[in-house]
Amino acid sequence: MSTAWESLHKSLDTSIRTRAFHLRFLTAQRQHEPLRAFATARALIALLSKGAPSDEKNRLLAALVVMVQFPANAEQQDLASTLLWLALWSGLDAQYRHLQRYVHEPDELASLIGAAFTYAVRELQVTSDTLVAVTLVMNTRRRVVQKEKTQRKRAQIIDYLQDLAHGEDEDEALARIAGTPGPEEDDAQALAARLRAVCGEDAALLISIAVLGERQHEAALRLGISHAGAHLRYKRALEAARKYFSKKS
């Protein structure tokens, strides 16, 4: 049984061999001069996916990125996206295999890479100095890793809150989280943003104590509030978050 990743490649490879795709490619050629040197989409992919990077390849990849970001229509955007996937498949596949050590469920990893690559293409700022292939592949990898870190930390927080709900000692529950690698600053900020809707302004205090492992008096001093006030606000935020995550689990 093939994985979602293998099925994705097969689907992309099959699609560019169809007459419908070829007709769309011919239409795109009339609007985008860089594509006119190639008789078929497969000829374009053959150049882009093999051999060392070159200025010509970089210009073609940049043109495809622009087609995705500013398409004449949805069909053209889909065509350019398919071509980018196939052109960079070797690099993306290498990342898929490397990232399996972090994300053990193949279909979940395929989904994460798909979403990350789509985001990377749409957000890439193309300049004359941009190395398109390397930048897209590495930005995709970086986003998957950050997403996995955030999901893992969120799962730890859920476990922490649920353990407290079932009567586990707070210090013991917190020690299990504090004993694991802490999140990057951006991950902590992202989690704080999600908790802000639940805990309001106390989200930062909850993150400081429950995620970053600060003691209450340390967090109070850093945030400029009294120790007594931090204690009350932390308990209030903890209860709100516990109720929220209990509903989500």
Side-chain angles (χ1 to χ4, degrees):
M1 180 179 178
S2 62
T3 65
W5 185 249
E6 294 167 336
S7 297
L8 172 61
H9 184 254
K10 182 178 180 180
S11 175
L12 292 168
D13 188 58
T14 299
S15 70
I16 68 165
R17 300 172 185 271
T18 64
R19 175 171 174 76
F21 195 95
H22 180 62
L23 292 176
R24 281 190 287 159
F25 183 73
L26 294 178
T27 299
Q29 284 182 316
R30 292 195 289 270
Q31 299 172 307
H32 299 278
E33 188 275 334
L35 304 183
R36 296 173 192 168
F38 303 91
T40 65
R42 292 172 63 186
L44 172 61
I45 294 301
L47 172 70
L48 292 176
S49 61
K50 296 180 182 179
S54 67
D55 290 343
E56 179 188 9
K57 291 181 182 180
N58 203 56
R59 285 193 296 271
L60 288 166
L61 290 169
L64 292 175
V65 169
V66 172
M67 287 174 63
V68 172
Q69 294 176 345
F70 306 101
N73 50 58
E75 285 190 344
Q76 186 179 102
Q77 185 179 56
D78 180 68
L79 176 139
S81 179
T82 297
L83 294 174
L84 279 171
W85 268 104
L86 289 171
L88 300 180
W89 185 264
S90 178
L92 293 169
D93 185 58
Q95 293 304 321
Y96 173 82
R97 299 182 188 286
H98 178 74
L99 290 168
Q100 284 179 320
R101 69 182 66 180
Y102 303 107
V103 183
H104 302 298
E105 174 55 48
D107 289 356
E108 179 187 358
L109 179 55
S111 177
L112 285 172
I113 291 179
F117 182 66
T118 298
Y119 181 89
V121 172
R122 291 179 177 174
E123 295 299 311
L124 181 65
Q125 295 183 358
V126 178
T127 69
S128 59
D129 298 325
T130 304
L131 299 177
V132 178
V134 173
T135 303
L136 287 179
V137 171
M138 296 313 298
N139 283 355
T140 297
R141 170 191 166 80
R142 187 175 300 111
R143 189 168 180 82
V144 170
V145 171
Q146 289 176 342
K147 183 74 172 178
E148 174 59 18
K149 283 182 179 179
T150 299
Q151 289 179 339
R152 186 166 60 247
K153 184 56 67 176
R154 180 180 182 276
Q156 290 171 345
I157 292 297
I158 292 174
D159 288 344
Y160 166 74
L161 294 171
Q162 290 177 337
D163 287 342
L164 293 183
H166 288 86
E168 182 176 343
D169 180 81
E170 181 174 334
D171 287 339
E172 292 180 4
L174 183 56
R176 290 192 290 103
I177 294 179
T180 62
E184 300 294 336
E185 182 178 352
D186 288 345
D187 293 327
Q189 291 175 350
L191 183 57
R194 286 194 293 273
L195 286 174
R196 194 169 295 119
V198 180
C199 307
E201 63 181 8
D202 295 333
L205 183 64
L206 180 59
I207 289 291
S208 296
I209 298 171
V211 180
L212 300 180
E214 284 188 292
R215 295 297 180 182
Q216 286 188 19
H217 71 275
E218 295 172 336
L221 181 63
R222 185 171 59 80
L223 295 172
I225 57 180
S226 69
H227 187 189
H231 178 75
L232 292 175
R233 289 172 57 179
Y234 172 67
K235 292 298 182 183
R236 182 177 63 194
L238 189 63
E239 183 61 27
R242 181 188 297 130
K243 291 179 179 179
Y244 173 78
F245 285 122
S246 294
K247 293 178 182 178
K248 291 292 184 179
S249 61

